[in-house]
Amino acid sequence: MANTVTINGDQRKFVLNPDVKLYALIDAGFQKTARGNFVYEHPLYNESPYNATTKLKMTVKSDLSHLTMVVTDPSGLQKVNIFKNKQLAPTVELLNYILKDLEERKILSEVKD
């Protein structure tokens, strides 16, 4: 896990907000794992979440110190770059909406260079 993360193909960098709270993670849809970490998976879809070709996966360490974030294929095994295909513009738009929501909930913060 890393303190600063980028999504494959994206220029932005994100970190956990220093004010992140456990209840904010749960309210946003993070699930607690057996190891105590928090996992968030959201299908990035145009019409139906059941036909989603990609999904956003995030993991926050149990002590709220580290973050991982990746866009994967439906199986969750392969990283996908949704930024290089213009046909995936709606997917990028949905990803931006999710990231903005997580910033407003004080879970993520974008790193400004």
Side-chain angles (χ1 to χ4, degrees):
M1 293 194 193
N3 287 328
T4 304
V5 296
T6 58
I7 294 175
N8 189 22
D10 197 355
Q11 301 300 315
R12 299 171 293 179
K13 296 179 182 178
F14 293 94
V15 295
L16 275 174
N17 189 309
D19 298 328
V20 66
K21 303 285 188 240
L22 177 62
Y23 64 83
L25 292 175
I26 294 167
D27 286 349
F30 283 79
Q31 301 289 319
K32 193 170 187 176
T33 67
R35 293 182 179 236
N37 296 330
F38 295 91
V39 176
Y40 178 85
E41 291 188 14
H42 194 290
L44 300 173
Y45 56 89
N46 297 330
E47 305 298 326
S48 168
Y50 304 106
N51 298 330
T53 57
T54 58
K55 66 180 173 180
L56 173 65
K57 288 178 66 174
M58 298 174 61
T59 303
V60 177
K61 195 170 176 182
S62 59
D63 63 1
L64 307 179
S65 63
H66 294 290
L67 166 74
T68 62
M69 184 166 43
V70 66
V71 174
T72 68
D73 65 355
S75 70
L77 300 175
Q78 297 288 325
K79 288 183 182 180
V80 176
N81 184 346
I82 61 173
F83 295 93
K84 66 180 181 180
N85 187 340
K86 293 190 187 296
Q87 292 178 337
L88 294 176
T91 303
V92 173
E93 187 177 321
L94 179 59
L95 174 67
N96 291 336
Y97 176 80
I98 293 169
L99 294 176
K100 183 176 184 248
D101 180 56
L102 293 173
E103 284 185 76
E104 289 173 356
R105 292 174 183 250
K106 296 187 178 183
I107 295 171
L108 293 179
S109 294
E110 186 175 348
V111 176
K112 305 291 184 186
D113 289 332

